[in-house]
Amino acid sequence: FFELQGRNRAAEFDTEFSDRTQNYEYFLVTLFGELDQQPLLKEKLFNEFPIAIDGDGYLLFKLTPSG
């Protein structure tokens, strides 16, 4: 997703994630090894967003509220 070199990684990550996903409804994960190497992204996805589809070899997270 991206690499941080700064002091407050979590806060910078949240800002970067919001900027990059603004106006998107879904976040698709197909490379689970890559996700495992990005713990901030993995934690955010699993803790803050529901899984819309748990497919064969992919996860689709819903980024927008239901309704």
Side-chain angles (χ1 to χ4, degrees):
F1 188 70
F2 82 110
E3 187 175 324
L4 284 175
Q5 305 280 335
R7 299 172 306 283
N8 190 349
R9 291 176 42 113
E12 290 178 35
F13 175 80
D14 284 341
T15 300
E16 183 75 15
F17 183 87
S18 294
D19 289 348
R20 288 187 180 217
T21 60
Q22 185 177 13
N23 299 320
Y24 286 91
E25 291 185 49
Y26 297 98
F27 191 100
L28 178 64
V29 176
T30 59
L31 300 172
F32 295 99
E34 294 275 331
L35 184 62
D36 288 339
Q37 294 177 24
Q38 299 177 72
L40 292 175
L41 175 60
K42 185 175 183 177
E43 180 179 343
K44 183 166 192 74
L45 289 172
F46 280 97
N47 290 337
E48 296 183 24
F49 303 104
I51 296 172
I53 300 173
D54 184 350
D56 186 19
Y58 69 95
L59 289 174
L60 189 66
F61 291 88
K62 184 163 175 54
L63 299 178
T64 58
S66 298

